[in-house]
mmCIF file of all heavy atoms in Angstrom:
data_model
loop_
_atom_site.group_PDB
_atom_site.id
_atom_site.type_symbol
_atom_site.label_atom_id
_atom_site.label_comp_id
_atom_site.label_asym_id
_atom_site.label_seq_id
_atom_site.Cartn_x
_atom_site.Cartn_y
_atom_site.Cartn_z
ATOM 1 N N GLY A 16 80.931 76.839 92.292
ATOM 2 C CA GLY A 16 80.118 76.493 91.140
ATOM 3 C C GLY A 16 79.485 77.682 90.450
ATOM 4 O O GLY A 16 79.026 77.561 89.304
ATOM 5 N N GLN A 17 79.470 78.812 91.117
ATOM 6 C CA GLN A 17 78.880 80.006 90.530
ATOM 7 C C GLN A 17 79.847 80.684 89.575
ATOM 8 O O GLN A 17 81.068 80.517 89.660
ATOM 9 C CB GLN A 17 78.447 80.988 91.616
ATOM 10 C CG GLN A 17 77.352 80.469 92.525
ATOM 11 C CD GLN A 17 76.084 80.167 91.752
ATOM 12 O OE1 GLN A 17 75.551 81.022 91.040
ATOM 13 N NE2 GLN A 17 75.593 78.952 91.880
ATOM 14 N N GLU A 18 79.299 81.478 88.686
ATOM 15 C CA GLU A 18 80.106 82.270 87.761
ATOM 16 C C GLU A 18 80.477 83.593 88.425
ATOM 17 O O GLU A 18 79.648 84.225 89.088
ATOM 18 C CB GLU A 18 79.328 82.537 86.479
ATOM 19 C CG GLU A 18 80.065 83.419 85.478
ATOM 20 C CD GLU A 18 79.256 83.637 84.211
ATOM 21 O OE1 GLU A 18 79.021 82.662 83.486
ATOM 22 O OE2 GLU A 18 78.873 84.797 83.947
ATOM 23 N N VAL A 19 81.725 83.985 88.225
ATOM 24 C CA VAL A 19 82.220 85.247 88.780
ATOM 25 C C VAL A 19 82.791 86.084 87.643
ATOM 26 O O VAL A 19 83.548 85.565 86.811
ATOM 27 C CB VAL A 19 83.328 84.994 89.828
ATOM 28 C CG1 VAL A 19 83.908 86.304 90.325
ATOM 29 C CG2 VAL A 19 82.785 84.173 90.990
ATOM 30 N N THR A 20 82.444 87.366 87.622
ATOM 31 C CA THR A 20 82.995 88.273 86.613
ATOM 32 C C THR A 20 83.633 89.465 87.302
ATOM 33 O O THR A 20 82.979 90.177 88.066
ATOM 34 C CB THR A 20 81.902 88.753 85.644
ATOM 35 O OG1 THR A 20 81.337 87.623 84.966
ATOM 36 C CG2 THR A 20 82.501 89.699 84.601
ATOM 37 N N LEU A 21 84.906 89.648 87.013
ATOM 38 C CA LEU A 21 85.642 90.787 87.541
ATOM 39 C C LEU A 21 85.846 91.789 86.418
ATOM 40 O O LEU A 21 86.072 91.397 85.264
ATOM 41 C CB LEU A 21 87.010 90.326 88.087
ATOM 42 C CG LEU A 21 86.995 89.123 89.040
ATOM 43 C CD1 LEU A 21 88.398 88.809 89.518
ATOM 44 C CD2 LEU A 21 86.047 89.325 90.184
ATOM 45 N N ARG A 22 85.811 93.077 86.767
ATOM 46 C CA ARG A 22 85.842 94.119 85.752
ATOM 47 C C ARG A 22 86.993 95.082 85.982
ATOM 48 O O ARG A 22 87.392 95.327 87.124
ATOM 49 C CB ARG A 22 84.520 94.874 85.732
ATOM 50 C CG ARG A 22 83.348 93.993 85.353
ATOM 51 C CD ARG A 22 82.017 94.700 85.494
ATOM 52 N NE ARG A 22 80.914 93.873 85.023
ATOM 53 C CZ ARG A 22 80.360 92.884 85.715
ATOM 54 N NH1 ARG A 22 80.793 92.595 86.937
ATOM 55 N NH2 ARG A 22 79.374 92.193 85.201
ATOM 56 N N CYS A 23 87.469 95.657 84.884
ATOM 57 C CA CYS A 23 88.600 96.575 84.961
ATOM 58 C C CYS A 23 88.487 97.652 83.899
ATOM 59 O O CYS A 23 88.215 97.368 82.727
ATOM 60 C CB CYS A 23 89.918 95.811 84.786
ATOM 61 S SG CYS A 23 91.390 96.872 84.764
ATOM 62 N N LYS A 24 88.733 98.887 84.328
ATOM 63 C CA LYS A 24 88.832 100.018 83.391
ATOM 64 C C LYS A 24 90.245 100.559 83.492
ATOM 65 O O LYS A 24 90.641 101.093 84.535
ATOM 66 C CB LYS A 24 87.830 101.102 83.760
ATOM 67 C CG LYS A 24 87.918 102.357 82.903
ATOM 68 C CD LYS A 24 86.873 103.376 83.325
ATOM 69 C CE LYS A 24 87.109 104.726 82.681
ATOM 70 N NZ LYS A 24 87.109 104.651 81.202
ATOM 71 N N PRO A 25 91.047 100.414 82.422
ATOM 72 C CA PRO A 25 92.429 100.891 82.490
ATOM 73 C C PRO A 25 92.511 102.406 82.367
ATOM 74 O O PRO A 25 91.513 103.076 82.091
ATOM 75 C CB PRO A 25 93.081 100.216 81.277
ATOM 76 C CG PRO A 25 91.964 100.080 80.290
ATOM 77 C CD PRO A 25 90.733 99.825 81.128
ATOM 78 N N ILE A 26 93.700 102.931 82.557
ATOM 79 C CA ILE A 26 93.939 104.359 82.366
ATOM 80 C C ILE A 26 93.858 104.673 80.876
ATOM 81 O O ILE A 26 94.428 103.940 80.049
ATOM 82 C CB ILE A 26 95.298 104.765 82.950
ATOM 83 C CG1 ILE A 26 95.242 104.672 84.489
ATOM 84 C CG2 ILE A 26 95.705 106.165 82.516
ATOM 85 C CD1 ILE A 26 96.563 104.920 85.170
ATOM 86 N N SER A 27 93.160 105.745 80.559
ATOM 87 C CA SER A 27 93.008 106.140 79.164
ATOM 88 C C SER A 27 94.372 106.386 78.527
ATOM 89 O O SER A 27 95.225 107.066 79.093
ATOM 90 C CB SER A 27 92.163 107.418 79.089
ATOM 91 O OG SER A 27 92.056 107.861 77.756
ATOM 92 N N GLY A 28 94.563 105.793 77.352
ATOM 93 C CA GLY A 28 95.821 105.962 76.644
ATOM 94 C C GLY A 28 96.840 104.877 76.906
ATOM 95 O O GLY A 28 97.868 104.802 76.218
ATOM 96 N N HIS A 29 96.597 104.048 77.885
ATOM 97 C CA HIS A 29 97.507 102.933 78.146
ATOM 98 C C HIS A 29 97.247 101.826 77.133
ATOM 99 O O HIS A 29 96.109 101.480 76.834
ATOM 100 C CB HIS A 29 97.327 102.416 79.573
ATOM 101 C CG HIS A 29 98.039 103.232 80.583
ATOM 102 N ND1 HIS A 29 98.197 102.826 81.901
ATOM 103 C CD2 HIS A 29 98.645 104.437 80.500
ATOM 104 C CE1 HIS A 29 98.881 103.748 82.562
ATOM 105 N NE2 HIS A 29 99.155 104.732 81.740
ATOM 106 N N ASP A 30 98.347 101.245 76.628
ATOM 107 C CA ASP A 30 98.243 100.243 75.577
ATOM 108 C C ASP A 30 98.175 98.814 76.097
ATOM 109 O O ASP A 30 97.785 97.909 75.375
ATOM 110 C CB ASP A 30 99.460 100.338 74.655
ATOM 111 C CG ASP A 30 99.669 101.740 74.116
ATOM 112 O OD1 ASP A 30 98.943 102.125 73.187
ATOM 113 O OD2 ASP A 30 100.548 102.450 74.640
ATOM 114 N N TYR A 31 98.640 98.623 77.326
ATOM 115 C CA TYR A 31 98.718 97.280 77.897
ATOM 116 C C TYR A 31 97.791 97.157 79.088
ATOM 117 O O TYR A 31 97.666 98.085 79.905
ATOM 118 C CB TYR A 31 100.144 96.962 78.368
ATOM 119 C CG TYR A 31 101.126 96.662 77.256
ATOM 120 C CD1 TYR A 31 101.781 97.690 76.592
ATOM 121 C CD2 TYR A 31 101.391 95.346 76.882
ATOM 122 C CE1 TYR A 31 102.678 97.411 75.573
ATOM 123 C CE2 TYR A 31 102.297 95.060 75.870
ATOM 124 C CZ TYR A 31 102.937 96.096 75.224
ATOM 125 O OH TYR A 31 103.830 95.827 74.218
ATOM 126 N N LEU A 32 97.182 95.972 79.200
ATOM 127 C CA LEU A 32 96.363 95.661 80.365
ATOM 128 C C LEU A 32 96.728 94.264 80.849
ATOM 129 O O LEU A 32 96.858 93.334 80.033
ATOM 130 C CB LEU A 32 94.870 95.733 80.032
ATOM 131 C CG LEU A 32 93.926 95.490 81.213
ATOM 132 C CD1 LEU A 32 92.736 96.433 81.162
ATOM 133 C CD2 LEU A 32 93.465 94.058 81.308
ATOM 134 N N PHE A 33 96.901 94.147 82.145
ATOM 135 C CA PHE A 33 97.339 92.893 82.762
ATOM 136 C C PHE A 33 96.333 92.462 83.816
ATOM 137 O O PHE A 33 95.794 93.293 84.544
ATOM 138 C CB PHE A 33 98.703 93.073 83.442
ATOM 139 C CG PHE A 33 99.784 93.607 82.536
ATOM 140 C CD1 PHE A 33 99.900 94.964 82.298
ATOM 141 C CD2 PHE A 33 100.678 92.741 81.928
ATOM 142 C CE1 PHE A 33 100.896 95.459 81.463
ATOM 143 C CE2 PHE A 33 101.682 93.225 81.088
ATOM 144 C CZ PHE A 33 101.785 94.581 80.858
ATOM 145 N N TRP A 34 96.150 91.164 83.932
ATOM 146 C CA TRP A 34 95.402 90.570 85.039
ATOM 147 C C TRP A 34 96.363 89.703 85.856
ATOM 148 O O TRP A 34 97.023 88.817 85.319
ATOM 149 C CB TRP A 34 94.250 89.707 84.539
ATOM 150 C CG TRP A 34 93.046 90.463 84.082
ATOM 151 C CD1 TRP A 34 92.679 90.740 82.800
ATOM 152 C CD2 TRP A 34 92.017 91.023 84.912
ATOM 153 N NE1 TRP A 34 91.498 91.449 82.788
ATOM 154 C CE2 TRP A 34 91.070 91.629 84.067
ATOM 155 C CE3 TRP A 34 91.807 91.074 86.298
ATOM 156 C CZ2 TRP A 34 89.928 92.273 84.553
ATOM 157 C CZ3 TRP A 34 90.681 91.715 86.776
ATOM 158 C CH2 TRP A 34 89.761 92.307 85.914
ATOM 159 N N TYR A 35 96.425 89.994 87.160
ATOM 160 C CA TYR A 35 97.262 89.242 88.090
ATOM 161 C C TYR A 35 96.388 88.648 89.186
ATOM 162 O O TYR A 35 95.328 89.171 89.525
ATOM 163 C CB TYR A 35 98.307 90.146 88.759
ATOM 164 C CG TYR A 35 99.497 90.494 87.900
ATOM 165 C CD1 TYR A 35 99.451 91.570 87.024
ATOM 166 C CD2 TYR A 35 100.669 89.751 87.984
ATOM 167 C CE1 TYR A 35 100.554 91.899 86.247
ATOM 168 C CE2 TYR A 35 101.783 90.069 87.203
ATOM 169 C CZ TYR A 35 101.707 91.145 86.344
ATOM 170 O OH TYR A 35 102.800 91.457 85.569
ATOM 171 N N ARG A 36 96.899 87.570 89.778
ATOM 172 C CA ARG A 36 96.283 86.964 90.952
ATOM 173 C C ARG A 36 97.350 86.907 92.034
ATOM 174 O O ARG A 36 98.500 86.558 91.757
ATOM 175 C CB ARG A 36 95.781 85.559 90.614
ATOM 176 C CG ARG A 36 95.191 84.809 91.781
ATOM 177 C CD ARG A 36 94.543 83.518 91.333
ATOM 178 N NE ARG A 36 95.502 82.523 90.882
ATOM 179 C CZ ARG A 36 95.152 81.292 90.509
ATOM 180 N NH1 ARG A 36 93.887 80.930 90.532
ATOM 181 N NH2 ARG A 36 96.083 80.436 90.109
ATOM 182 N N GLN A 37 96.960 87.233 93.253
ATOM 183 C CA GLN A 37 97.920 87.213 94.355
ATOM 184 C C GLN A 37 97.381 86.410 95.530
ATOM 185 O O GLN A 37 96.267 86.636 95.990
ATOM 186 C CB GLN A 37 98.268 88.636 94.822
ATOM 187 C CG GLN A 37 99.415 88.688 95.816
ATOM 188 C CD GLN A 37 99.818 90.108 96.159
ATOM 189 O OE1 GLN A 37 98.983 90.968 96.382
ATOM 190 N NE2 GLN A 37 101.139 90.367 96.184
ATOM 191 N N THR A 38 98.192 85.463 95.982
ATOM 192 C CA THR A 38 97.897 84.701 97.188
ATOM 193 C C THR A 38 99.149 84.662 98.045
ATOM 194 O O THR A 38 100.259 84.914 97.561
ATOM 195 C CB THR A 38 97.475 83.255 96.863
ATOM 196 O OG1 THR A 38 98.563 82.599 96.186
ATOM 197 C CG2 THR A 38 96.235 83.218 95.986
ATOM 198 N N MET A 39 98.973 84.325 99.302
ATOM 199 C CA MET A 39 100.128 84.222 100.194
ATOM 200 C C MET A 39 101.070 83.121 99.715
ATOM 201 O O MET A 39 102.293 83.277 99.751
ATOM 202 C CB MET A 39 99.663 83.935 101.620
ATOM 203 C CG MET A 39 98.988 85.108 102.300
ATOM 204 S SD MET A 39 100.127 86.460 102.591
ATOM 205 C CE MET A 39 101.176 85.725 103.835
ATOM 206 N N MET A 40 100.493 82.023 99.264
ATOM 207 C CA MET A 40 101.308 80.870 98.897
ATOM 208 C C MET A 40 102.058 81.087 97.579
ATOM 209 O O MET A 40 103.213 80.678 97.449
ATOM 210 C CB MET A 40 100.421 79.629 98.779
ATOM 211 C CG MET A 40 99.863 79.157 100.093
ATOM 212 S SD MET A 40 101.169 78.609 101.210
ATOM 213 C CE MET A 40 101.822 77.207 100.315
ATOM 214 N N ARG A 41 101.429 81.703 96.608
ATOM 215 C CA ARG A 41 101.991 81.754 95.256
ATOM 216 C C ARG A 41 102.448 83.144 94.839
ATOM 217 O O ARG A 41 103.010 83.314 93.758
ATOM 218 C CB ARG A 41 100.970 81.217 94.267
ATOM 219 C CG ARG A 41 100.545 79.782 94.551
ATOM 220 C CD ARG A 41 99.439 79.359 93.598
ATOM 221 N NE ARG A 41 99.931 79.240 92.240
ATOM 222 C CZ ARG A 41 100.415 78.121 91.704
ATOM 223 N NH1 ARG A 41 100.479 77.027 92.437
ATOM 224 N NH2 ARG A 41 100.830 78.086 90.462
ATOM 225 N N GLY A 42 102.205 84.132 95.681
ATOM 226 C CA GLY A 42 102.640 85.480 95.349
ATOM 227 C C GLY A 42 101.820 86.067 94.217
ATOM 228 O O GLY A 42 100.658 85.724 94.012
ATOM 229 N N LEU A 43 102.473 86.940 93.439
ATOM 230 C CA LEU A 43 101.810 87.643 92.340
ATOM 231 C C LEU A 43 101.999 86.834 91.057
ATOM 232 O O LEU A 43 103.119 86.635 90.597
ATOM 233 C CB LEU A 43 102.442 89.031 92.201
ATOM 234 C CG LEU A 43 101.744 90.088 91.389
ATOM 235 C CD1 LEU A 43 100.401 90.442 92.007
ATOM 236 C CD2 LEU A 43 102.624 91.327 91.291
ATOM 237 N N GLU A 44 100.906 86.378 90.492
ATOM 238 C CA GLU A 44 100.955 85.556 89.282
ATOM 239 C C GLU A 44 100.299 86.301 88.118
ATOM 240 O O GLU A 44 99.166 86.765 88.252
ATOM 241 C CB GLU A 44 100.168 84.255 89.475
ATOM 242 C CG GLU A 44 100.634 83.343 90.573
ATOM 243 C CD GLU A 44 99.679 82.162 90.688
ATOM 244 O OE1 GLU A 44 98.652 82.295 91.382
ATOM 245 O OE2 GLU A 44 99.953 81.106 90.074
ATOM 246 N N LEU A 45 100.983 86.358 86.987
ATOM 247 C CA LEU A 45 100.394 86.939 85.787
ATOM 248 C C LEU A 45 99.457 85.915 85.152
ATOM 249 O O LEU A 45 99.872 84.798 84.841
ATOM 250 C CB LEU A 45 101.483 87.333 84.797
ATOM 251 C CG LEU A 45 101.006 87.874 83.458
ATOM 252 C CD1 LEU A 45 100.223 89.175 83.623
ATOM 253 C CD2 LEU A 45 102.185 88.079 82.511
#
Side-chain angles (χ1 to χ4, degrees):
Chain A
Q17 296 299 305
E18 177 179 295
V19 176
T20 299
L21 310 181
R22 297 173 175 79
C23 177
K24 176 179 169 58
I26 291 174
S27 177
H29 279 191
D30 306 282
Y31 285 84
L32 183 140
F33 305 83
W34 282 101
Y35 283 86
R36 177 172 69 176
Q37 189 175 44
T38 61
M39 289 293 291
M40 291 296 296
R41 301 175 69 91
L43 195 63
E44 300 176 275
L45 176 63

